[in-house]
Amino acid sequence: MRSNQFHLDELAQLVQGELIGQPKLLLSGLASLEQAQSNHIAFVNGDKYLAEAQNSKAGALIVTAALKEQLANHQNFIVVANPYLAFAMLTHQFEIKVMKRGIESTAQISPSAIIADDAYIGHYVVIGEDCVIGSNTIIQSNTRIDDGVEIGKDSFIDSQVTLTGQTKIADRVRIHANTVIGSEGFGFAPYQGKWNRIAQLGSVRIGNDVRIGSNCSVDRGALDDTIIHDGVIIDNLVQIAHNVQIGENTAIAAKCGIAGSTIIGKNCIFAGAVGVVGHIKIADNVTITGMSMVTKSISEAGSYSSGTGQFETNHWKRTVVRLRQLADVPLTKLVKQIDHMQAQIESIESTLKSRK
Amino acid sequence: MRSNQFHLDELAQLVQGELIGQPKLLLSGLASLEQAQSNHIAFVNGDKYLAEAQNSKAGALIVTAALKEQLANHQNFIVVANPYLAFAMLTHQFEIKVMKRGIESTAQISPSAIIADDAYIGHYVVIGEDCVIGSNTIIQSNTRIDDGVEIGKDSFIDSQVTLTGQTKIADRVRIHANTVIGSEGFGFAPYQGKWNRIAQLGSVRIGNDVRIGSNCSVDRGALDDTIIHDGVIIDNLVQIAHNVQIGENTAIAAKCGIAGSTIIGKNCIFAGAVGVVGHIKIADNVTITGMSMVTKSISEAGSYSSGTGQFETNHWKRTVVRLRQLADVPLTKLVKQIDHMQAQIESIESTLKSRK
Amino acid sequence: MRSNQFHLDELAQLVQGELIGQPKLLLSGLASLEQAQSNHIAFVNGDKYLAEAQNSKAGALIVTAALKEQLANHQNFIVVANPYLAFAMLTHQFEIKVMKRGIESTAQISPSAIIADDAYIGHYVVIGEDCVIGSNTIIQSNTRIDDGVEIGKDSFIDSQVTLTGQTKIADRVRIHANTVIGSEGFGFAPYQGKWNRIAQLGSVRIGNDVRIGSNCSVDRGALDDTIIHDGVIIDNLVQIAHNVQIGENTAIAAKCGIAGSTIIGKNCIFAGAVGVVGHIKIADNVTITGMSMVTKSISEAGSYSSGTGQFETNHWKRTVVRLRQLADVPLTKLVKQIDHMQAQIESIESTLKSRK
C-alpha cells in the first residue's frame, strides 16, 4: 500500500508550531499514545493524558508549551496552542487520498451531463441527463447520479450512493457510502381509508463543506426544497425528512431523525438517536442530549433532554409500576398538603403543651 | 430538463373541480403559497392559510367554495371539496416520470428470467434465475434482483436496491433507493456459548400499492413468510424483522423497528422511531406516537405512547434523580395515608375544640 | 428453482438423532407446524406447542423423547435432546446456496488484488488495489471492495455492500446487503465555530464467524482500529462508531447504536434500538433491554433497562404532567416526613386519650 512520510520540521511548519528536537526525524504515521512506535507522531490532549504520554514510544509528540515541560523523557515535539486542532490538520497529510482522475470506461454518462476534466468517475457509476460534476470531485464506483443532479468542486461521493430528485450539492461536500439524497418524501393524502401518494416535486439543496455519513436518507421536498446549509456535519443512519432545513455548522450524530418541515438553527449539536417531530422550529445554539425526543419548538439556546436514564432492570420494573400510578398522584398539591398538615400537627402539639 | 405544462381547465377537469377564471391560463408547476409565481398553481389547506393565500403570487389557487369567498384579490381558482386531495392528484401531473422502456445493454439478466417488453431495466442491474418483472415496471440502475424474485406490474424500484430471499412483490409497488428486501432474518440458536445460525428459508410477500422508503431492511421469514399487505406505506430506515405481518393500509414512519413475528393490524399509524418487541399482536386502528416502545400486545384500537417528553437538561437531571427514588415510594398507598392522616388531624382538632 | 430433498434417515444422521418411523420418507422442506405438509419436517419447541404439533400435517417431527410420547397420532420422528438446535442445523441442508465459483466477466479487479480460485465474484463488483479474497468466499453482485481490504475464507458478502478503510475480515463472516464497513468515523475538531474534519486513519478488524446484517454502518477508527471480535452477531441498521470494540459472541439486535470508543464485553445481549454513549466500558454477560439508553459504564453482569414502558396516550399525557413536577418533589424526604407525621399524630391521639 502507498503510505506517506514526513520529516518533523515539515509537520511543524504545516501546523505553524514550534519544532523542538530533530528536524529531520522521519515520521510515517500518526498514532495514539498507546499504539505509537518510534516512527509515529502522537498528540497529548491535556493533562489527563500525561502519564500515557510519558510511557508512549512515540517518536514525537504534539503538545502545548505547558505539557512539554512535564515530558522530560521525550525529545521531539511540535509545540502549539491547540494540539487537538494540530492533530486534526495533520491527519490530512497521512490520509491515503484517491489520486485517480478521469472517467472509468465502464461509467455510463448521459451525453447531456457535464463532467469536469479533473473529476474522477469510478466504475459502474451511472450519471443521468443534465448532471454537472465539478472540478476535482471524486465519485466512487457503483454510485447512481440521477437526472438533473449537480455537484460542485472538490467533493467526495463514496460508493453505492444514490443522488436523485435533482439534488444540488455545493463545494467541498463529502457524502459517504450507501447514502440516499433526494429520494421521495413520505407524503400521502388520506382519503376513504387509503393513502394517496403525493408525488414530491421539491428538491434538496446542500451547502458548502457539508458532511453526510453512510446509510443516511435525505428526502426531497414536497414543493419547496429540503435545505442543508454550509458547514453542517451529519453522522451515519440519519433521516432528514422532506422540507427540513438545517442551519449552518449544526452537528447531527448517528441515528437521529428529523421529521418533515422542521427548521433547525445554526451551531446546534444533536447527540445520537435524537428524534424531532415535524413542523417545529429549533433556535440556534441548541444542544439535544442522546436519544431525546423533541416534541415542540425550542426558542431559547440551551441544552434539552428526555428519557429516564439507565436502571438495573429489576429497579426499572419497579419504577415503571410507580410511573403507572403517577398520573393519579397530585404531586404539587400533596407537597403543599403535607406542609399544611405538618403545620396543623405542630399547632395541635403546641395547644396540647399549653393545656398541660 | 423536461417539464410539464397544463392549462387551468385541464387541471380542473383532472380533479373534477369547478373552474373560475381564465380556462387557458398556462401553469408550469405546483408551488407552495409562499414560493409560487404567476405560472404556478398553489393550494389553500384551510382557513389558517388564508393570510398566506391572500399574499401569494400564485397564478391560480385550489380552494373550497368557502375559502374562495375570502380571496377576492385572486382571479383564478379550482374549487373542490378537498383541496389537499386535489393537490395530491395534481402532483402526479407535474412529476417527471421515467419514460424509458426496454433493457439497457449493460443489464445482466439470467436467461431464465422473464421481463415484460414494456418494463425498464437500468444500467448495471443484475437479475437472477427465474425472476419475473411485470409490465410497465421500472428498475433503476445498479439494483440487484436475486434468484426467484418476482415483481408485478406498474412498480418502481429505485437504484441500489437489493431484492433477495425469493421475495414476491405485487402491483403498483414503490421501493426507494438502497432498501434491502428478503435478506436473512436474525435467527440463531444459542448452544454452548455460541450462536448457531438458522438459515432462513421463508420469503417476503409484498401486496399491491405498498410503498417502502429508502435504506429500509425487510427480512425474509425463518420458515413462513414475512408479509406486508396491500396499501401499507413505510418511510425510510425502517426495520421489519422476519415473520412480521403488517395489515392493510397501515402507515409506518421513518426509523421504526418491528421485531420478529409481531403481527400488526390494519389502518394503524406508527409515528417516527417507534420500536415494537417481537411475538406480539397489535389490533386494527392503533396509533403509536413518536419514539414509543411497545412492549406488549395491544388489543384495543386507540393511541399509545411512551417516553418522558422534552425537558430542559438541568430540569431533566433533577427529574432523573427523583425517578431513581420512585421505586421505593409507594405512591398510591401514600396518597391514602395522607388522606387518612388529614382525617385524623381534623378529628383531633375537633376533639381539642370540643374540650376547650 | 432448485430445491433440496432428503430421506428422513439422512436428516436423523445429520443431527445425530434417533429415527422413529419410515427411514426413506422423502422430505423436501422444513416448515412451521402450522404450514407444514406431508413432505415437510417440522420441530416441536417444547410442551406449549403440543396442541399445534398434534394438529400439524407435517410428515415428520423433530422432538425430545418426552414430547414424542405425547404425539401418538404422528408416526415419523427424529428424537434429539435439543429440537431447536437440531432444527437450526437442518436449515443449512434446505438452504439454497450460491454454487457459482470464479469471477464474472464484468467484475473490475485491480491487478494487485489476490482472489482465491474457488471464490465467487459477482457481476459489477469492483475490487481495488492489494485486496485479498479467501477460498470459498462469495461476493455478490454490485459490491464495492476498496483498496487494501482483506477477506478470509468461507465468507459471504451480499450485494451493494461497501467495504473500505482497509478493513480486515477473517473467516466464515457473513455481511448482508447494503452494509458499509470501514467508512470514515465522525471525528471533527471544533475551532472558531467550524468543524475541522479529522481524516480517519485507523481501520476495522472483524473476527471469525461474525455476522452483520443489512444497512449497517461500521466506521473505521480515528487512529487505532474498530474491532469486532469472533462470534459477534449484529442485526440490521446498526451503527458501530469509530474505535468501538465488541467482545466475543455478543449479540446486537436491529437499530442499536454504539458511540465512539466504547468497549463492550463478551457474551452480551443488546435488544433492539439500544443506544450506548461513547467512551464507556460494558462488562461481560450484560443484557440491555429494548430501546434502553446506556449513559455510563456497566461493571457488573446483569440486566439493564430504561424508558417508561407503554401507556395509553391520555394516561401518558397525564403522567408527563406529573413527571414535569417530579424534580421539585423530595420523594425520599417526604416519605420520611409522612412517617414522622404519622408518629406525631399517633402520639397526639395517645395523649388525648390519656387525658380523657
Side-chain angles (χ1 to χ4, degrees), chain B residues 203-205 218-221 225-229 239-246 252 257-264 276-279:
Chain B
S203 185
V204 179
R205 280 184 277 153
V218 180
D219 283 349
R220 69 191 295 185
D225 296 341
T226 303
I227 303 173
I228 299 180
H229 286 282
Q239 152 77 357
I240 308 288
H242 50 180
N243 299 104
V244 165
Q245 297 179 29
I246 303 181
I252 297 184
I258 317 293
S261 300
T262 281
I263 298 175
I264 296 172
V276 183
V277 299
H279 297 275

mmCIF file of all heavy atoms in Angstrom, chain B residues 203-205 218-221 225-229 239-246 252 257-264 276-279:
data_model
loop_
_atom_site.group_PDB
_atom_site.id
_atom_site.type_symbol
_atom_site.label_atom_id
_atom_site.label_comp_id
_atom_site.label_asym_id
_atom_site.label_seq_id
_atom_site.Cartn_x
_atom_site.Cartn_y
_atom_site.Cartn_z
ATOM 1 N N SER B 203 -39.787 -16.469 2.966
ATOM 2 C CA SER B 203 -39.588 -15.420 1.977
ATOM 3 C C SER B 203 -40.273 -14.134 2.452
ATOM 4 O O SER B 203 -40.583 -14.004 3.644
ATOM 5 C CB SER B 203 -40.165 -15.905 0.648
ATOM 6 O OG SER B 203 -39.887 -14.973 -0.361
ATOM 7 N N VAL B 204 -40.469 -13.203 1.549
ATOM 8 C CA VAL B 204 -41.209 -11.971 1.831
ATOM 9 C C VAL B 204 -42.293 -11.841 0.772
ATOM 10 O O VAL B 204 -42.023 -12.054 -0.417
ATOM 11 C CB VAL B 204 -40.288 -10.721 1.768
ATOM 12 C CG1 VAL B 204 -41.096 -9.444 2.034
ATOM 13 C CG2 VAL B 204 -39.138 -10.835 2.739
ATOM 14 N N ARG B 205 -43.509 -11.513 1.214
ATOM 15 C CA ARG B 205 -44.584 -11.217 0.259
ATOM 16 C C ARG B 205 -45.071 -9.791 0.471
ATOM 17 O O ARG B 205 -45.412 -9.412 1.592
ATOM 18 C CB ARG B 205 -45.758 -12.189 0.461
ATOM 19 C CG ARG B 205 -45.497 -13.538 -0.187
ATOM 20 C CD ARG B 205 -46.713 -14.423 -0.050
ATOM 21 N NE ARG B 205 -46.738 -15.079 1.237
ATOM 22 C CZ ARG B 205 -47.839 -15.479 1.872
ATOM 23 N NH1 ARG B 205 -49.033 -15.240 1.333
ATOM 24 N NH2 ARG B 205 -47.772 -16.090 3.034
ATOM 25 N N VAL B 218 -36.141 -5.284 5.181
ATOM 26 C CA VAL B 218 -37.285 -6.180 5.412
ATOM 27 C C VAL B 218 -36.752 -7.600 5.264
ATOM 28 O O VAL B 218 -36.372 -8.014 4.169
ATOM 29 C CB VAL B 218 -38.420 -5.932 4.396
ATOM 30 C CG1 VAL B 218 -39.590 -6.881 4.665
ATOM 31 C CG2 VAL B 218 -38.883 -4.480 4.422
ATOM 32 N N ASP B 219 -36.708 -8.338 6.368
ATOM 33 C CA ASP B 219 -36.076 -9.667 6.343
ATOM 34 C C ASP B 219 -37.030 -10.768 5.912
ATOM 35 O O ASP B 219 -38.226 -10.726 6.215
ATOM 36 C CB ASP B 219 -35.543 -10.017 7.737
ATOM 37 C CG ASP B 219 -34.249 -9.288 8.058
ATOM 38 O OD1 ASP B 219 -33.643 -8.679 7.159
ATOM 39 O OD2 ASP B 219 -33.829 -9.350 9.234
ATOM 40 N N ARG B 220 -36.494 -11.785 5.267
ATOM 41 C CA ARG B 220 -37.266 -12.968 4.912
ATOM 42 C C ARG B 220 -37.608 -13.752 6.176
ATOM 43 O O ARG B 220 -36.905 -13.676 7.186
ATOM 44 C CB ARG B 220 -36.483 -13.838 3.939
ATOM 45 C CG ARG B 220 -35.273 -14.502 4.535
ATOM 46 C CD ARG B 220 -34.358 -15.142 3.490
ATOM 47 N NE ARG B 220 -35.022 -16.241 2.825
ATOM 48 C CZ ARG B 220 -34.423 -17.033 1.935
ATOM 49 N NH1 ARG B 220 -33.143 -16.838 1.612
ATOM 50 N NH2 ARG B 220 -35.078 -17.998 1.354
ATOM 51 N N GLY B 221 -38.667 -14.530 6.122
ATOM 52 C CA GLY B 221 -39.080 -15.324 7.262
ATOM 53 C C GLY B 221 -38.147 -16.485 7.520
ATOM 54 O O GLY B 221 -37.350 -16.892 6.661
ATOM 55 N N ASP B 225 -43.477 -16.882 5.715
ATOM 56 C CA ASP B 225 -43.057 -15.637 5.065
ATOM 57 C C ASP B 225 -43.298 -14.411 5.942
ATOM 58 O O ASP B 225 -44.203 -14.396 6.777
ATOM 59 C CB ASP B 225 -43.835 -15.431 3.758
ATOM 60 C CG ASP B 225 -43.526 -16.510 2.734
ATOM 61 O OD1 ASP B 225 -42.491 -17.185 2.867
ATOM 62 O OD2 ASP B 225 -44.330 -16.670 1.793
ATOM 63 N N THR B 226 -42.506 -13.400 5.740
ATOM 64 C CA THR B 226 -42.793 -12.044 6.208
ATOM 65 C C THR B 226 -43.810 -11.464 5.225
ATOM 66 O O THR B 226 -43.646 -11.612 4.018
ATOM 67 C CB THR B 226 -41.501 -11.211 6.181
ATOM 68 O OG1 THR B 226 -40.527 -11.887 6.981
ATOM 69 C CG2 THR B 226 -41.719 -9.798 6.679
ATOM 70 N N ILE B 227 -44.860 -10.797 5.745
ATOM 71 C CA ILE B 227 -45.949 -10.359 4.854
ATOM 72 C C ILE B 227 -46.291 -8.885 5.082
ATOM 73 O O ILE B 227 -46.601 -8.474 6.200
ATOM 74 C CB ILE B 227 -47.229 -11.204 5.073
ATOM 75 C CG1 ILE B 227 -46.908 -12.694 4.857
ATOM 76 C CG2 ILE B 227 -48.344 -10.752 4.137
ATOM 77 C CD1 ILE B 227 -48.050 -13.627 5.219
ATOM 78 N N ILE B 228 -46.264 -8.130 3.996
ATOM 79 C CA ILE B 228 -46.703 -6.729 4.033
ATOM 80 C C ILE B 228 -47.912 -6.637 3.115
ATOM 81 O O ILE B 228 -47.800 -6.840 1.907
ATOM 82 C CB ILE B 228 -45.569 -5.785 3.596
ATOM 83 C CG1 ILE B 228 -44.382 -5.953 4.564
ATOM 84 C CG2 ILE B 228 -46.041 -4.341 3.561
ATOM 85 C CD1 ILE B 228 -43.192 -5.083 4.237
ATOM 86 N N HIS B 229 -49.065 -6.346 3.714
ATOM 87 C CA HIS B 229 -50.319 -6.410 2.961
ATOM 88 C C HIS B 229 -50.561 -5.164 2.103
ATOM 89 O O HIS B 229 -49.852 -4.158 2.231
ATOM 90 C CB HIS B 229 -51.481 -6.642 3.933
ATOM 91 C CG HIS B 229 -51.519 -8.045 4.465
ATOM 92 N ND1 HIS B 229 -52.001 -9.113 3.740
ATOM 93 C CD2 HIS B 229 -51.101 -8.565 5.645
ATOM 94 C CE1 HIS B 229 -51.900 -10.224 4.456
ATOM 95 N NE2 HIS B 229 -51.354 -9.922 5.623
ATOM 96 N N GLN B 239 -36.926 -0.993 9.998
ATOM 97 C CA GLN B 239 -36.564 -2.404 10.131
ATOM 98 C C GLN B 239 -37.821 -3.241 10.311
ATOM 99 O O GLN B 239 -38.603 -3.005 11.246
ATOM 100 C CB GLN B 239 -35.637 -2.574 11.347
ATOM 101 C CG GLN B 239 -35.667 -3.924 12.033
ATOM 102 C CD GLN B 239 -34.897 -5.002 11.286
ATOM 103 O OE1 GLN B 239 -34.377 -4.748 10.203
ATOM 104 N NE2 GLN B 239 -34.802 -6.177 11.849
ATOM 105 N N ILE B 240 -38.018 -4.200 9.413
ATOM 106 C CA ILE B 240 -39.126 -5.159 9.539
ATOM 107 C C ILE B 240 -38.470 -6.532 9.654
ATOM 108 O O ILE B 240 -37.896 -7.037 8.688
ATOM 109 C CB ILE B 240 -40.058 -5.129 8.303
ATOM 110 C CG1 ILE B 240 -40.537 -3.702 7.977
ATOM 111 C CG2 ILE B 240 -41.218 -6.096 8.484
ATOM 112 C CD1 ILE B 240 -41.531 -3.121 8.923
ATOM 113 N N ALA B 241 -38.549 -7.135 10.834
ATOM 114 C CA ALA B 241 -37.837 -8.390 11.077
ATOM 115 C C ALA B 241 -38.583 -9.591 10.485
ATOM 116 O O ALA B 241 -39.694 -9.461 9.980
ATOM 117 C CB ALA B 241 -37.637 -8.574 12.574
ATOM 118 N N HIS B 242 -37.962 -10.752 10.606
ATOM 119 C CA HIS B 242 -38.539 -11.952 9.988
ATOM 120 C C HIS B 242 -39.896 -12.315 10.588
ATOM 121 O O HIS B 242 -40.110 -12.209 11.778
ATOM 122 C CB HIS B 242 -37.594 -13.148 10.023
ATOM 123 C CG HIS B 242 -36.973 -13.482 11.333
ATOM 124 N ND1 HIS B 242 -36.117 -14.538 11.470
ATOM 125 C CD2 HIS B 242 -37.068 -12.919 12.557
ATOM 126 C CE1 HIS B 242 -35.718 -14.598 12.720
ATOM 127 N NE2 HIS B 242 -36.271 -13.644 13.397
ATOM 128 N N ASN B 243 -40.800 -12.711 9.688
ATOM 129 C CA ASN B 243 -42.132 -13.210 10.058
ATOM 130 C C ASN B 243 -43.067 -12.160 10.627
ATOM 131 O O ASN B 243 -44.131 -12.485 11.154
ATOM 132 C CB ASN B 243 -42.011 -14.401 11.020
ATOM 133 C CG ASN B 243 -41.267 -15.546 10.366
ATOM 134 O OD1 ASN B 243 -40.092 -15.788 10.654
ATOM 135 N ND2 ASN B 243 -41.906 -16.193 9.448
ATOM 136 N N VAL B 244 -42.694 -10.893 10.492
ATOM 137 C CA VAL B 244 -43.649 -9.826 10.810
ATOM 138 C C VAL B 244 -44.764 -9.848 9.768
ATOM 139 O O VAL B 244 -44.540 -10.200 8.604
ATOM 140 C CB VAL B 244 -42.924 -8.457 10.832
ATOM 141 C CG1 VAL B 244 -43.893 -7.289 10.789
ATOM 142 C CG2 VAL B 244 -42.027 -8.364 12.061
ATOM 143 N N GLN B 245 -45.974 -9.481 10.192
ATOM 144 C CA GLN B 245 -47.083 -9.267 9.260
ATOM 145 C C GLN B 245 -47.651 -7.874 9.528
ATOM 146 O O GLN B 245 -47.894 -7.524 10.678
ATOM 147 C CB GLN B 245 -48.180 -10.311 9.454
ATOM 148 C CG GLN B 245 -47.697 -11.726 9.163
ATOM 149 C CD GLN B 245 -48.788 -12.766 9.391
ATOM 150 O OE1 GLN B 245 -49.978 -12.480 9.243
ATOM 151 N NE2 GLN B 245 -48.392 -13.963 9.767
ATOM 152 N N ILE B 246 -47.859 -7.120 8.458
ATOM 153 C CA ILE B 246 -48.390 -5.756 8.601
ATOM 154 C C ILE B 246 -49.679 -5.667 7.809
ATOM 155 O O ILE B 246 -49.705 -5.939 6.606
ATOM 156 C CB ILE B 246 -47.370 -4.708 8.119
ATOM 157 C CG1 ILE B 246 -46.055 -4.879 8.893
ATOM 158 C CG2 ILE B 246 -47.917 -3.292 8.302
ATOM 159 C CD1 ILE B 246 -44.991 -3.887 8.518
ATOM 160 N N ILE B 252 -46.208 3.458 8.474
ATOM 161 C CA ILE B 252 -45.090 3.340 9.407
ATOM 162 C C ILE B 252 -44.049 4.390 9.059
ATOM 163 O O ILE B 252 -43.453 4.348 7.983
ATOM 164 C CB ILE B 252 -44.499 1.913 9.338
ATOM 165 C CG1 ILE B 252 -45.576 0.913 9.787
ATOM 166 C CG2 ILE B 252 -43.228 1.784 10.157
ATOM 167 C CD1 ILE B 252 -45.129 -0.515 9.870
ATOM 168 N N GLY B 257 -38.895 0.235 14.115
ATOM 169 C CA GLY B 257 -38.381 -1.127 14.060
ATOM 170 C C GLY B 257 -39.415 -2.085 14.621
ATOM 171 O O GLY B 257 -39.936 -1.860 15.718
ATOM 172 N N ILE B 258 -39.717 -3.134 13.863
ATOM 173 C CA ILE B 258 -40.709 -4.122 14.300
ATOM 174 C C ILE B 258 -39.964 -5.445 14.447
ATOM 175 O O ILE B 258 -39.434 -5.979 13.476
ATOM 176 C CB ILE B 258 -41.837 -4.300 13.255
ATOM 177 C CG1 ILE B 258 -42.308 -2.951 12.683
ATOM 178 C CG2 ILE B 258 -42.979 -5.112 13.844
ATOM 179 C CD1 ILE B 258 -42.997 -2.048 13.639
ATOM 180 N N ALA B 259 -39.937 -5.978 15.677
ATOM 181 C CA ALA B 259 -39.177 -7.206 15.911
ATOM 182 C C ALA B 259 -39.942 -8.440 15.432
ATOM 183 O O ALA B 259 -41.130 -8.371 15.112
ATOM 184 C CB ALA B 259 -38.808 -7.313 17.382
ATOM 185 N N GLY B 260 -39.254 -9.570 15.432
ATOM 186 C CA GLY B 260 -39.696 -10.771 14.752
ATOM 187 C C GLY B 260 -41.059 -11.306 15.173
ATOM 188 O O GLY B 260 -41.421 -11.312 16.344
ATOM 189 N N SER B 261 -41.837 -11.764 14.190
ATOM 190 C CA SER B 261 -43.095 -12.491 14.380
ATOM 191 C C SER B 261 -44.224 -11.638 14.932
ATOM 192 O O SER B 261 -45.294 -12.165 15.255
ATOM 193 C CB SER B 261 -42.905 -13.719 15.284
ATOM 194 O OG SER B 261 -41.972 -14.596 14.701
ATOM 195 N N THR B 262 -44.032 -10.337 15.050
ATOM 196 C CA THR B 262 -45.118 -9.462 15.503
ATOM 197 C C THR B 262 -46.122 -9.262 14.370
ATOM 198 O O THR B 262 -45.747 -9.168 13.206
ATOM 199 C CB THR B 262 -44.539 -8.141 16.029
ATOM 200 O OG1 THR B 262 -44.061 -8.386 17.350
ATOM 201 C CG2 THR B 262 -45.560 -7.008 16.059
ATOM 202 N N ILE B 263 -47.405 -9.233 14.745
ATOM 203 C CA ILE B 263 -48.485 -9.074 13.769
ATOM 204 C C ILE B 263 -49.187 -7.747 14.045
ATOM 205 O O ILE B 263 -49.705 -7.519 15.135
ATOM 206 C CB ILE B 263 -49.480 -10.245 13.858
ATOM 207 C CG1 ILE B 263 -48.741 -11.551 13.523
ATOM 208 C CG2 ILE B 263 -50.664 -10.029 12.924
ATOM 209 C CD1 ILE B 263 -49.580 -12.801 13.694
ATOM 210 N N ILE B 264 -49.185 -6.886 13.048
ATOM 211 C CA ILE B 264 -49.761 -5.542 13.183
ATOM 212 C C ILE B 264 -51.030 -5.483 12.350
ATOM 213 O O ILE B 264 -51.060 -5.980 11.221
ATOM 214 C CB ILE B 264 -48.737 -4.486 12.721
ATOM 215 C CG1 ILE B 264 -47.525 -4.516 13.654
ATOM 216 C CG2 ILE B 264 -49.356 -3.094 12.670
ATOM 217 C CD1 ILE B 264 -46.372 -3.675 13.201
ATOM 218 N N VAL B 276 -41.161 -1.892 18.381
ATOM 219 C CA VAL B 276 -42.163 -2.881 18.781
ATOM 220 C C VAL B 276 -41.439 -4.200 19.029
ATOM 221 O O VAL B 276 -40.686 -4.664 18.169
ATOM 222 C CB VAL B 276 -43.230 -3.069 17.680
ATOM 223 C CG1 VAL B 276 -44.310 -4.041 18.128
ATOM 224 C CG2 VAL B 276 -43.843 -1.736 17.276
ATOM 225 N N VAL B 277 -41.659 -4.789 20.204
ATOM 226 C CA VAL B 277 -40.998 -6.070 20.507
ATOM 227 C C VAL B 277 -41.586 -7.199 19.651
ATOM 228 O O VAL B 277 -42.619 -7.020 19.012
ATOM 229 C CB VAL B 277 -41.128 -6.452 22.006
ATOM 230 C CG1 VAL B 277 -40.484 -5.413 22.884
ATOM 231 C CG2 VAL B 277 -42.577 -6.691 22.373
ATOM 232 N N GLY B 278 -40.930 -8.329 19.691
ATOM 233 C CA GLY B 278 -41.340 -9.459 18.872
ATOM 234 C C GLY B 278 -42.489 -10.240 19.478
ATOM 235 O O GLY B 278 -42.830 -10.089 20.647
ATOM 236 N N HIS B 279 -43.137 -11.058 18.637
ATOM 237 C CA HIS B 279 -44.111 -12.050 19.090
ATOM 238 C C HIS B 279 -45.318 -11.438 19.796
ATOM 239 O O HIS B 279 -45.859 -12.022 20.735
ATOM 240 C CB HIS B 279 -43.437 -13.082 20.010
ATOM 241 C CG HIS B 279 -42.383 -13.871 19.310
ATOM 242 N ND1 HIS B 279 -42.649 -14.991 18.574
ATOM 243 C CD2 HIS B 279 -41.044 -13.661 19.200
ATOM 244 C CE1 HIS B 279 -41.531 -15.474 18.058
ATOM 245 N NE2 HIS B 279 -40.536 -14.684 18.409
#
